[in-house]
Amino acid sequence: MNYIIQTHQLTKHYAGKPVINQVSMNIKEGEIYGFLGPNGAGKTTLMKMLLNLVKPTSGDIFILNQPIMAHSYTYLKNIGSLIEYPIFYEELTAQENLKMHCAYMGYKDQTHIKKVLDIVGLQQIERKKVKEFSLGMRQRLAIGRAIVAKPKILILDEPINGLDPIGIKEVRELLVMLKQQYKMTILISSHIVSEIESIADTIGVLNDGELIEEIPMQSLRDKRQSMIAMVVSDTKKAKQIVEEKFHANVQIMNVRTLNIQQVNVKPSTITKHLIMHGVDVDKVETLHQSLEDYFVKKINWRNQNDSFN
Ligand code: ATP
């Protein structure tokens, strides 16, 4: 497997306490890695360590197969980033800000700037100074600045923060386009699962400084518990039959409805079995647990138990 970013037992202490605790994460080349965790979990600290803005207490970082040491800086040319609140030259326009950034990065191809402004939806504002920008415009410009030098890797700390629903959708589409057309690898953090679940290829969950899950999105979708809801003619009889035959957890919701949980049997098999035993089935629906519920459960469970798998 070709990993573009790897950490091994990465740890950061502040005032003697671990803020990042033995984190080993693996980001594949060309993927969107969704980095999730509640506020204060340590996401920003970890991203800052990848960018050499914060030095690890212990552990290793490998980026583009190179170990990152205290004095490693040239690798940063391959990374575009947006960390915390973006700072700009307020008296300059978007275009001028991007020009300054290209000069700073030693990136000579300035023809790209107009295209980048188009990509992030900041066209036709040639005269506007950044100090007049809305929060959404600033966020777009920050993403534009992160991609203007065509980096191999994008590290974005909560880039969706402060955007309206249309802006959120546009940023999501932009990231997918950057992955597909420019083959960028994207690490994006968020504390809101639904913001990134539709675009992430892999999800890493950080809680209290520990990486409690790193899983391909597809496996996560398959792993989520599903529930079958059924409208039947006799709920008591149906409950008894399903529990006995399929060892499932069945709840009677109302006089006509049952919820069947934790069962590895197709709804059609259950339906056939019920009909065979004289219970009419009027409606069947499979309900998936939302990812949000999955993570909230997992994080709560983790916080209540010492050993966690
Ligand atoms: P948020 O989503 O709220 O930004 P986060 O997951 O990015 O949270 P961090 O900002 O990395 O979390 O902070 C993790 C913990 O480390 C917090 O408890 C924070 O107070 C602490 N912390 C971060 N930077 C420092 C620092 N320079 N000195 C001391 N503590 C720090």
Side-chain angles (χ1 to χ4, degrees), residues 134-208:
S134 67
L135 184 62
M137 291 165 79
R138 297 180 80 92
Q139 210 68 354
R140 285 158 199 267
L141 181 57
I143 296 173
R145 185 169 64 185
I147 63 174
V148 72
K150 293 191 183 162
K152 291 193 171 85
I153 300 170
L154 260 187
I155 296 183
L156 305 174
D157 189 14
E158 312 232 4
I160 287 166
N161 248 356
L163 295 183
D164 58 28
I166 295 170
I168 291 175
K169 187 166 175 283
E170 284 173 359
V171 169
R172 278 206 211 107
E173 287 167 358
L174 169 64
L175 298 183
V176 171
M177 187 277 281
L178 292 171
K179 176 183 102 159
Q180 287 172 347
Q181 284 188 24
Y182 294 90
K183 311 286 172 224
M184 284 186 196
T185 305
I186 303 173
L187 170 60
I188 170 175
S189 76
S190 177
H191 56 276
I192 302 170
V193 184
S194 56
E195 274 184 355
I196 49 177
E197 69 167 295
S198 61
I199 56 165
D201 300 296
T202 301
I203 292 275
V205 184
L206 196 71
N207 182 47
D208 227 353

Coordinates of all heavy atoms in Angstrom, one line a residue, residues 134-208:
S134 N -16.6 38.6 3.0 CA -17.4 37.9 4.0 C -16.6 36.7 4.5 O -15.5 36.3 3.9 CB -18.7 37.4 3.4 OG -18.3 36.4 2.4
L135 N -17.1 36.0 5.6 CA -16.4 34.9 6.1 C -16.2 33.8 5.1 O -15.2 33.1 4.9 CB -17.2 34.3 7.3 CG -16.5 33.2 8.1 CD1 -15.2 33.6 8.7 CD2 -17.5 32.7 9.2
G136 N -17.3 33.5 4.3 CA -17.3 32.5 3.3 C -16.3 32.8 2.2 O -15.5 31.9 1.7
M137 N -16.2 34.1 1.8 CA -15.2 34.5 0.8 C -13.8 34.3 1.3 O -12.9 33.8 0.6 CB -15.4 36.0 0.4 CG -16.7 36.2 -0.4 SD -17.1 37.9 -0.5 CE -16.0 38.5 -1.8
R138 N -13.5 34.6 2.6 CA -12.2 34.4 3.2 C -11.8 32.9 3.1 O -10.7 32.6 2.8 CB -12.2 34.9 4.6 CG -12.4 36.4 4.8 CD -12.4 36.8 6.2 NE -11.0 36.9 6.7 CZ -10.3 38.0 6.7 NH1 -10.9 39.2 6.3 NH2 -9.1 38.1 7.0
Q139 N -12.8 32.1 3.5 CA -12.6 30.7 3.5 C -12.2 30.1 2.1 O -11.4 29.3 1.9 CB -13.8 30.0 4.1 CG -13.6 28.7 4.8 CD -12.9 28.9 6.1 OE1 -12.4 30.0 6.5 NE2 -12.7 27.8 6.9
R140 N -13.0 30.6 1.1 CA -12.7 30.2 -0.3 C -11.3 30.7 -0.7 O -10.5 29.9 -1.3 CB -13.7 30.9 -1.2 CG -15.0 30.3 -1.2 CD -16.0 31.3 -1.8 NE -17.3 31.0 -1.4 CZ -18.2 30.3 -2.2 NH1 -17.8 29.9 -3.3 NH2 -19.4 30.1 -1.8
L141 N -10.9 31.9 -0.3 CA -9.6 32.4 -0.7 C -8.5 31.6 0.0 O -7.5 31.3 -0.6 CB -9.5 33.9 -0.3 CG -8.1 34.5 -0.6 CD1 -7.8 34.4 -2.1 CD2 -8.1 36.0 -0.2
A142 N -8.8 31.2 1.3 CA -7.8 30.3 2.0 C -7.6 29.0 1.3 O -6.5 28.5 1.2 CB -8.3 30.1 3.4
I143 N -8.7 28.4 0.8 CA -8.6 27.2 0.0 C -7.8 27.4 -1.3 O -7.0 26.7 -1.7 CB -10.0 26.5 -0.2 CG1 -10.6 26.1 1.1 CG2 -9.8 25.3 -1.1 CD1 -12.0 25.7 1.0
G144 N -8.1 28.6 -1.9 CA -7.5 29.0 -3.2 C -6.0 29.1 -2.9 O -5.1 28.6 -3.7
R145 N -5.6 29.7 -1.8 CA -4.2 29.9 -1.5 C -3.5 28.5 -1.2 O -2.4 28.3 -1.6 CB -4.0 30.8 -0.2 CG -2.6 31.1 0.1 CD -2.5 32.1 1.2 NE -3.1 31.7 2.4 CZ -3.2 32.6 3.5 NH1 -2.8 33.8 3.4 NH2 -3.8 32.1 4.6
A146 N -4.3 27.6 -0.6 CA -3.7 26.3 -0.3 C -3.5 25.5 -1.6 O -2.6 24.7 -1.7 CB -4.7 25.5 0.6
I147 N -4.3 25.8 -2.7 CA -4.1 24.9 -3.9 C -3.3 25.6 -5.0 O -3.0 25.0 -6.0 CB -5.5 24.4 -4.5 CG1 -6.4 25.6 -4.9 CG2 -6.2 23.6 -3.4 CD1 -7.6 25.2 -5.6
V148 N -3.0 26.9 -4.8 CA -2.5 27.7 -6.0 C -1.1 27.2 -6.5 O -0.8 27.3 -7.7 CB -2.4 29.2 -5.7 CG1 -1.4 29.5 -4.7 CG2 -2.3 30.0 -6.9
A149 N -0.3 26.6 -5.6 CA 1.0 26.1 -6.0 C 0.9 24.6 -6.4 O 1.9 23.9 -6.4 CB 2.0 26.4 -4.9
K150 N -0.3 24.1 -6.7 CA -0.5 22.8 -7.1 C 0.2 21.7 -6.2 O 1.1 21.0 -6.7 CB -0.1 22.6 -8.6 CG -0.9 23.3 -9.6 CD -0.6 22.9 -11.0 CE -1.4 23.7 -12.0 NZ -0.9 23.6 -13.3
P151 N -0.1 21.7 -5.0 CA 0.5 20.8 -4.1 C 0.1 19.3 -4.3 O -1.0 19.1 -4.8 CB 0.1 21.3 -2.7 CG -1.2 21.8 -2.9 CD -1.2 22.5 -4.3
K152 N 0.9 18.4 -3.8 CA 0.5 17.0 -3.9 C -0.5 16.7 -2.8 O -1.4 15.8 -2.9 CB 1.7 16.1 -3.7 CG 2.6 16.1 -4.9 CD 3.6 14.9 -4.8 CE 4.5 14.8 -6.0 NZ 5.7 15.6 -6.0
I153 N -0.3 17.4 -1.7 CA -1.1 17.1 -0.4 C -1.8 18.4 0.0 O -1.2 19.5 0.0 CB -0.2 16.6 0.7 CG1 0.5 15.4 0.3 CG2 -1.0 16.4 2.0 CD1 1.7 15.0 1.2
L154 N -3.1 18.2 0.4 CA -3.8 19.4 1.0 C -4.2 19.0 2.4 O -4.7 18.0 2.7 CB -5.1 19.6 0.3 CG -5.3 20.6 -0.8 CD1 -6.8 20.7 -1.2 CD2 -4.8 22.0 -0.3
I155 N -3.9 19.9 3.4 CA -4.2 19.7 4.8 C -5.2 20.8 5.2 O -4.8 22.0 5.2 CB -3.0 19.6 5.7 CG1 -2.1 18.4 5.3 CG2 -3.3 19.6 7.2 CD1 -0.9 18.2 6.1
L156 N -6.4 20.5 5.4 CA -7.4 21.5 5.7 C -8.1 21.3 7.0 O -8.7 20.2 7.3 CB -8.5 21.4 4.6 CG -8.0 21.5 3.1 CD1 -9.1 21.3 2.1 CD2 -7.4 22.9 2.9
D157 N -7.9 22.2 7.9 CA -8.5 22.1 9.3 C -9.8 22.8 9.3 O -9.9 24.0 9.2 CB -7.5 22.8 10.2 CG -7.9 22.6 11.7 OD1 -8.7 21.7 12.0 OD2 -7.3 23.3 12.5
E158 N -10.9 22.0 9.4 CA -12.2 22.6 9.4 C -12.5 23.6 8.3 O -13.0 24.7 8.7 CB -12.6 23.1 10.8 CG -12.1 22.1 11.9 CD -13.2 21.8 12.9 OE1 -14.4 22.3 12.7 OE2 -13.0 21.1 13.8
P159 N -12.3 23.3 7.1 CA -12.4 24.3 6.0 C -13.9 24.7 5.8 O -14.2 25.7 5.1 CB -11.9 23.7 4.8 CG -12.1 22.2 5.0 CD -11.9 22.0 6.5
I160 N -14.8 23.9 6.3 CA -16.2 24.1 6.0 C -16.8 25.1 7.1 O -17.9 25.6 6.9 CB -16.9 22.8 5.9 CG1 -16.5 22.1 4.6 CG2 -18.4 22.9 6.0 CD1 -16.8 20.6 4.5
N161 N -16.1 25.3 8.1 CA -16.5 26.2 9.2 C -17.0 27.5 8.7 O -16.3 28.2 7.9 CB -15.3 26.5 10.1 CG -15.5 25.9 11.5 OD1 -16.6 25.3 11.7 ND2 -14.5 26.0 12.3
G162 N -18.2 28.0 9.1 CA -18.6 29.3 8.7 C -19.2 29.4 7.4 O -19.5 30.5 7.0
L163 N -19.3 28.3 6.6 CA -19.9 28.5 5.3 C -21.4 28.1 5.3 O -21.8 27.3 6.2 CB -19.2 27.5 4.3 CG -17.7 27.7 4.0 CD1 -17.2 26.7 3.0 CD2 -17.5 29.1 3.5
D164 N -22.1 28.8 4.4 CA -23.6 28.5 4.3 C -23.7 27.1 3.6 O -22.8 26.6 3.0 CB -24.3 29.6 3.7 CG -23.8 29.9 2.3 OD1 -23.3 29.0 1.7 OD2 -23.9 31.1 1.9
P165 N -25.0 26.6 3.6 CA -25.1 25.2 2.9 C -24.7 25.2 1.5 O -24.1 24.2 1.0 CB -26.7 25.0 3.0 CG -27.1 25.8 4.2 CD -26.2 27.0 4.2
I166 N -24.9 26.3 0.7 CA -24.4 26.3 -0.7 C -22.9 26.2 -0.7 O -22.3 25.5 -1.5 CB -25.0 27.5 -1.4 CG1 -26.5 27.3 -1.5 CG2 -24.4 27.6 -2.8 CD1 -27.2 28.6 -2.0
G167 N -22.3 27.1 0.2 CA -20.8 27.1 0.2 C -20.2 25.7 0.6 O -19.2 25.3 0.1
I168 N -20.9 25.1 1.6 CA -20.4 23.7 2.0 C -20.5 22.8 0.8 O -19.5 22.0 0.6 CB -21.3 23.2 3.2 CG1 -21.1 24.0 4.4 CG2 -21.1 21.7 3.4 CD1 -22.0 23.7 5.6
K169 N -21.6 22.8 0.1 CA -21.7 21.9 -1.1 C -20.6 22.2 -2.1 O -20.0 21.3 -2.6 CB -23.1 22.1 -1.7 CG -23.4 21.1 -2.7 CD -24.9 21.1 -3.0 CE -25.3 20.2 -4.2 NZ -25.0 20.8 -5.5
E170 N -20.3 23.5 -2.3 CA -19.3 23.9 -3.3 C -17.9 23.4 -2.9 O -17.2 22.9 -3.7 CB -19.4 25.4 -3.5 CG -20.6 25.8 -4.4 CD -20.7 27.3 -4.5 OE1 -19.9 28.0 -3.9 OE2 -21.7 27.7 -5.2
V171 N -17.6 23.6 -1.6 CA -16.3 23.1 -1.1 C -16.2 21.6 -1.3 O -15.1 21.1 -1.7 CB -16.0 23.6 0.3 CG1 -14.8 23.0 0.9 CG2 -15.9 25.1 0.4
R172 N -17.2 20.9 -0.9 CA -17.2 19.4 -1.1 C -16.9 19.1 -2.5 O -16.0 18.2 -2.8 CB -18.5 18.8 -0.7 CG -18.7 18.7 0.8 CD -19.6 17.5 1.1 NE -20.4 17.8 2.3 CZ -21.6 18.2 2.4 NH1 -22.3 18.3 1.3 NH2 -22.2 18.4 3.5
E173 N -17.6 19.7 -3.4 CA -17.4 19.4 -4.8 C -16.0 19.8 -5.3 O -15.4 19.0 -6.1 CB -18.5 20.1 -5.7 CG -19.9 19.5 -5.5 CD -21.0 20.3 -6.1 OE1 -20.8 21.5 -6.6 OE2 -22.2 19.9 -6.0
L174 N -15.5 20.9 -4.8 CA -14.2 21.3 -5.1 C -13.2 20.3 -4.7 O -12.2 19.9 -5.5 CB -13.9 22.7 -4.5 CG -12.5 23.2 -4.5 CD1 -12.1 23.5 -5.9 CD2 -12.4 24.5 -3.6
L175 N -13.3 19.8 -3.5 CA -12.3 18.8 -3.0 C -12.3 17.5 -3.8 O -11.3 17.0 -4.1 CB -12.6 18.5 -1.5 CG -12.5 19.7 -0.6 CD1 -12.7 19.3 0.9 CD2 -11.1 20.4 -0.7
V176 N -13.5 17.1 -4.2 CA -13.6 15.8 -5.0 C -13.0 16.1 -6.4 O -12.3 15.3 -6.9 CB -15.1 15.4 -5.2 CG1 -15.3 14.3 -6.2 CG2 -15.7 15.0 -3.8
M177 N -13.2 17.3 -6.9 CA -12.6 17.7 -8.2 C -11.1 17.7 -8.1 O -10.4 17.1 -9.0 CB -13.1 19.0 -8.6 CG -12.7 19.5 -10.0 SD -11.1 20.2 -10.1 CE -11.4 21.8 -9.5
L178 N -10.5 18.2 -7.0 CA -9.1 18.3 -6.8 C -8.5 16.9 -6.7 O -7.4 16.6 -7.2 CB -8.7 19.1 -5.5 CG -9.0 20.6 -5.6 CD1 -8.9 21.3 -4.3 CD2 -8.2 21.3 -6.7
K179 N -9.2 16.0 -6.0 CA -8.8 14.6 -5.9 C -8.8 13.9 -7.3 O -7.8 13.3 -7.7 CB -9.7 13.9 -5.0 CG -9.4 12.4 -4.9 CD -10.3 11.7 -4.0 CE -11.3 10.9 -4.8 NZ -12.0 9.8 -4.1
Q180 N -9.9 14.1 -8.0 CA -10.0 13.4 -9.3 C -9.2 14.0 -10.4 O -8.5 13.3 -11.1 CB -11.5 13.4 -9.7 CG -12.3 12.5 -8.9 CD -13.8 12.6 -9.1 OE1 -14.3 13.5 -9.8 NE2 -14.6 11.7 -8.6
Q181 N -9.2 15.3 -10.6 CA -8.5 15.9 -11.7 C -7.0 16.2 -11.4 O -6.2 16.1 -12.3 CB -9.2 17.2 -12.1 CG -10.4 16.9 -12.9 CD -11.0 18.2 -13.4 OE1 -10.3 19.2 -13.7 NE2 -12.3 18.2 -13.7
Y182 N -6.7 16.6 -10.2 CA -5.3 16.9 -9.9 C -4.6 15.9 -9.0 O -3.5 16.1 -8.6 CB -5.3 18.3 -9.2 CG -5.7 19.4 -10.0 CD1 -7.1 19.8 -10.1 CD2 -4.8 20.1 -10.8 CE1 -7.5 20.8 -10.9 CE2 -5.2 21.1 -11.7 CZ -6.6 21.5 -11.7 OH -7.0 22.5 -12.5
K183 N -5.3 14.8 -8.7 CA -4.8 13.6 -8.0 C -4.2 14.1 -6.6 O -3.2 13.5 -6.1 CB -3.7 12.9 -8.8 CG -4.0 12.6 -10.2 CD -5.0 11.4 -10.3 CE -5.5 11.2 -11.7 NZ -6.9 10.9 -11.7
M184 N -4.8 15.1 -6.0 CA -4.3 15.5 -4.7 C -4.8 14.6 -3.6 O -5.9 14.0 -3.7 CB -4.9 16.9 -4.4 CG -4.2 18.0 -5.1 SD -4.8 19.7 -4.5 CE -4.2 20.7 -5.9
T185 N -4.0 14.4 -2.6 CA -4.4 13.7 -1.4 C -4.8 14.8 -0.4 O -4.2 15.8 -0.2 CB -3.1 13.0 -0.8 OG1 -2.6 12.1 -1.8 CG2 -3.5 12.1 0.4
I186 N -6.0 14.5 0.2 CA -6.6 15.6 1.0 C -6.9 15.0 2.4 O -7.6 14.0 2.6 CB -7.9 16.1 0.4 CG1 -7.6 16.6 -1.1 CG2 -8.5 17.2 1.2 CD1 -8.8 17.0 -1.9
L187 N -6.3 15.7 3.4 CA -6.6 15.4 4.8 C -7.5 16.6 5.3 O -7.1 17.8 5.3 CB -5.3 15.4 5.6 CG -5.5 15.3 7.1 CD1 -6.2 14.1 7.6 CD2 -4.1 15.3 7.8
I188 N -8.7 16.3 5.7 CA -9.7 17.3 6.1 C -10.3 17.0 7.4 O -10.7 15.9 7.6 CB -10.8 17.5 5.0 CG1 -11.9 18.4 5.5 CG2 -11.4 16.2 4.5 CD1 -13.0 18.7 4.4
S189 N -10.2 18.0 8.3 CA -10.8 17.7 9.7 C -12.1 18.3 9.8 O -12.5 19.3 9.1 CB -9.8 18.2 10.7 OG -10.0 19.6 10.8
S190 N -12.9 17.7 10.7 CA -14.2 18.3 11.0 C -14.7 17.7 12.3 O -14.2 16.6 12.7 CB -15.2 17.9 9.9 OG -16.5 18.4 10.2
H191 N -15.6 18.4 13.0 CA -16.2 17.7 14.2 C -17.6 17.3 13.8 O -18.4 16.9 14.7 CB -16.1 18.6 15.4 CG -16.7 20.0 15.3 ND1 -16.0 21.0 14.7 CD2 -17.9 20.4 15.5 CE1 -16.8 22.1 14.7 NE2 -18.0 21.8 15.2
I192 N -18.0 17.5 12.6 CA -19.4 17.2 12.1 C -19.3 16.1 11.1 O -18.8 16.3 10.0 CB -20.1 18.4 11.6 CG1 -20.2 19.5 12.7 CG2 -21.5 18.0 11.2 CD1 -20.6 20.8 12.3
V193 N -19.7 14.9 11.5 CA -19.6 13.7 10.6 C -20.2 13.9 9.2 O -19.7 13.6 8.2 CB -20.2 12.5 11.3 CG1 -20.0 11.2 10.4 CG2 -19.7 12.3 12.7
S194 N -21.5 14.5 9.3 CA -22.2 14.6 8.0 C -21.6 15.5 7.0 O -21.9 15.4 5.8 CB -23.7 15.0 8.3 OG -23.6 16.2 9.0
E195 N -20.7 16.4 7.5 CA -20.0 17.3 6.6 C -19.1 16.6 5.6 O -18.9 17.1 4.5 CB -19.2 18.3 7.4 CG -19.9 19.5 7.9 CD -19.1 20.5 8.6 OE1 -17.9 20.2 8.8 OE2 -19.6 21.6 8.9
I196 N -18.5 15.5 6.1 CA -17.5 14.9 5.2 C -17.8 13.4 4.9 O -17.1 12.9 4.0 CB -16.1 15.0 5.8 CG1 -16.1 14.5 7.3 CG2 -15.5 16.4 5.7 CD1 -14.7 14.6 7.9
E197 N -18.9 12.9 5.4 CA -19.1 11.4 5.1 C -19.3 11.1 3.6 O -19.0 10.1 3.2 CB -20.2 10.8 6.0 CG -21.6 11.3 5.7 CD -22.6 10.5 6.3 OE1 -22.8 9.3 6.0 OE2 -23.3 11.0 7.2
S198 N -19.8 12.1 2.9 CA -20.1 11.8 1.5 C -18.9 11.9 0.6 O -18.9 11.4 -0.5 CB -21.2 12.8 1.0 OG -20.7 14.1 1.1
I199 N -17.8 12.5 1.1 CA -16.6 12.6 0.2 C -15.4 11.8 0.7 O -14.5 11.6 -0.1 CB -16.2 14.1 0.0 CG1 -16.0 14.8 1.4 CG2 -17.3 14.9 -0.8 CD1 -15.2 16.1 1.2
A200 N -15.4 11.4 2.0 CA -14.2 10.8 2.5 C -14.1 9.3 2.0 O -15.1 8.6 1.9 CB -14.2 10.8 4.0
D201 N -12.8 8.9 1.7 CA -12.6 7.6 1.3 C -12.2 6.8 2.6 O -12.5 5.6 2.7 CB -11.4 7.5 0.4 CG -11.6 8.2 -0.9 OD1 -12.6 7.9 -1.6 OD2 -11.0 9.3 -1.2
T202 N -11.6 7.4 3.5 CA -11.2 6.8 4.8 C -11.5 7.8 5.9 O -11.5 9.0 5.7 CB -9.7 6.5 4.8 OG1 -9.3 5.7 3.7 CG2 -9.2 5.9 6.1
I203 N -11.9 7.2 7.0 CA -12.2 8.1 8.2 C -11.3 7.7 9.3 O -11.1 6.5 9.6 CB -13.7 7.8 8.7 CG1 -14.7 8.3 7.6 CG2 -14.0 8.4 10.0 CD1 -15.1 9.8 7.7
G204 N -10.7 8.7 10.0 CA -9.9 8.5 11.2 C -10.6 9.3 12.3 O -11.0 10.4 12.1
V205 N -10.8 8.6 13.4 CA -11.5 9.3 14.5 C -10.6 9.5 15.7 O -10.0 8.5 16.2 CB -12.8 8.5 15.0 CG1 -13.5 9.2 16.1 CG2 -13.7 8.1 13.8
L206 N -10.5 10.8 16.1 CA -9.6 11.1 17.2 C -10.5 11.5 18.4 O -11.4 12.3 18.2 CB -8.7 12.3 16.8 CG -7.5 12.6 17.6 CD1 -6.4 11.5 17.4 CD2 -6.9 14.0 17.3
N207 N -10.2 10.9 19.5 CA -10.9 11.2 20.7 C -9.9 11.4 21.9 O -9.2 10.4 22.1 CB -12.0 10.2 21.0 CG -12.8 10.5 22.2 OD1 -13.3 11.6 22.3 ND2 -12.9 9.6 23.2
D208 N -9.9 12.5 22.5 CA -9.0 12.7 23.6 C -7.6 12.4 23.3 O -6.9 11.7 24.0 CB -9.5 11.8 24.7 CG -9.6 12.5 26.0 OD1 -9.1 13.7 26.1 OD2 -10.0 11.9 27.0

